[in-house]
Amino acid sequence: MPSAGKPRQVLALLAIRANEVMPVLSLMEELWGAEPPRSAPTTLQTYILQLRRRIADLLEKCNPGSGQQAKDVLVTRHGGYLLDVQPGSVDAHEFDRLGAAGSQALEAGDDEAAVRLLREAQDLWRGPALVDVPVGSRLELEVTRLEEDRLGVLERRIGAEMRLGRHHELLSELAVLAAQHPLHEDLQAQYMIALYRSGRPWRALDVYTRLRDTLVGELGLEPSPRLQRLQRAVLACDPALDERGGRGGRIPEQFAV
């Protein structure tokens, strides 16, 4: 990865969209916004040359004698550039593949396989997406998508583990997630159900109270009807809460919206 900010931006966008042509105009928008300077096309070409030099150094170091050149990896196409990589070379793509495979396992009712695949997807993360890369308008959209997908994979994996009866083992993880995402109702609901099924209904009610206080204090909103129904079910020790939750970590159907 280059050290300068803008070449890192270019490489990050090309990598996330690997094997797709990224138009020059899109790259310039990422780097300079809606009004790029007159020198933008020339400057972008300079960044591409810098990246190719780094790629050439890596090819020489890691794959000497292969005959592959930097221009075969960072390819010029009509109106844009393309990063030509093998499947599995980009973590974001591998994350998407594993997440999709995990979701397919969920649909097939194979929670064990789903947990394994979704955890593999999670393990590809080492922190926030592109934390060390300057982010323009296009990368910002990609970061938002990746973070949302990451949270979705997390929820689906926890849901599968809950259906496997691992409520107690999930409590520490869910406590951290509930604190990190105080307005995320699905995670709060999962935490409430895990607490209830672990014999701690009073803690589940505390989670609901904190969620409600946060929603009312910050947004002026009450919890959704499904969370209110879940609270009433906890108060009533509803036997339905002892059953396995719905697909993807959803709360039981009778408490859904």
Side-chain angles (χ1 to χ4, degrees):
M1 177 72 80
S3 57
K6 289 193 182 298
R8 292 170 79 87
Q9 277 180 271
V10 173
L11 181 58
L13 191 53
L14 288 170
I16 287 178
R17 295 295 188 88
N19 300 317
E20 299 178 24
V21 176
M22 180 56 56
V24 167
L25 290 177
S26 297
L27 290 166
M28 291 195 300
E29 181 184 353
E30 167 62 25
L31 294 172
W32 293 287
E35 298 182 2
R38 291 183 180 180
S39 60
T42 301
T43 305
L44 176 60
Q45 288 178 349
T46 300
Y47 296 150
I48 294 294
L49 289 174
Q50 292 174 4
L51 291 172
R52 281 178 173 156
R53 291 193 194 102
R54 296 297 298 268
I55 292 170
D57 292 341
L58 288 171
L59 289 172
E60 181 62 28
K61 180 180 179 180
C62 302
N63 199 15
S66 67
Q68 189 177 29
Q69 299 182 30
K71 66 181 181 179
D72 300 324
V73 178
L74 207 175
V75 184
T76 300
R77 288 283 188 265
H78 179 70
Y81 299 95
L82 176 149
L83 191 67
D84 188 352
V85 299
Q86 296 298 313
S89 300
V90 179
D91 283 349
H93 291 189
E94 190 67 2
F95 170 77
D96 289 340
R97 184 189 69 79
L98 289 166
S103 295
Q104 289 174 358
L106 285 177
E107 290 298 323
D110 190 345
D111 288 326
E112 290 281 5
V115 168
R116 176 178 55 79
L117 290 163
L118 295 173
R119 193 176 288 280
E120 284 182 32
Q122 284 182 250
D123 289 345
L124 291 171
W125 288 75
R126 297 292 182 270
L130 301 179
V131 66
D132 58 348
V133 177
V135 172
S137 60
R138 290 185 172 270
L139 278 180
E140 184 177 14
L141 292 174
E142 296 292 345
V143 168
T144 299
R145 177 188 67 81
L146 285 168
E147 293 291 354
E148 287 294 325
D149 288 349
R150 179 187 193 179
L151 199 55
V153 162
L154 177 65
E155 289 179 65
R156 292 194 293 277
R157 193 267 299 166
I158 289 174
E161 294 210 63
M162 288 177 68
R163 287 193 297 279
L164 292 168
R166 300 172 185 171
H167 312 104
H168 186 75
E169 295 93 324
L170 290 167
L171 288 179
S172 295
E173 181 180 9
L174 281 168
V176 173
L177 291 169
Q180 291 175 337
H181 304 278
L183 297 175
H184 197 293
E185 289 198 347
D186 282 348
L187 287 174
Q188 304 295 328
Q190 286 180 322
Y191 190 26
M192 288 176 66
I193 293 172
L195 285 166
Y196 183 88
R197 292 175 179 172
S198 299
R200 306 179 193 182
W202 65 93
R203 290 280 309 280
L205 294 172
D206 286 343
V207 171
Y208 178 85
T209 299
R210 286 198 301 271
L211 171 63
R212 182 183 183 278
D213 289 346
T214 303
L215 284 170
V216 172
E218 295 190 12
L219 302 177
L221 298 174
E222 291 285 341
S224 68
R226 67 188 175 112
L227 264 294
Q228 294 180 38
R229 289 194 290 271
L230 178 57
Q231 184 222 19
R232 291 194 295 270
V234 173
L235 284 168
C237 296
D238 191 325
L241 286 179
D242 295 326
E243 300 171 1
R244 293 181 175 184
R247 282 196 177 279
R250 299 286 181 184
I251 62 178
E253 288 297 325
Q254 53 267 58
F255 307 115
V257 175

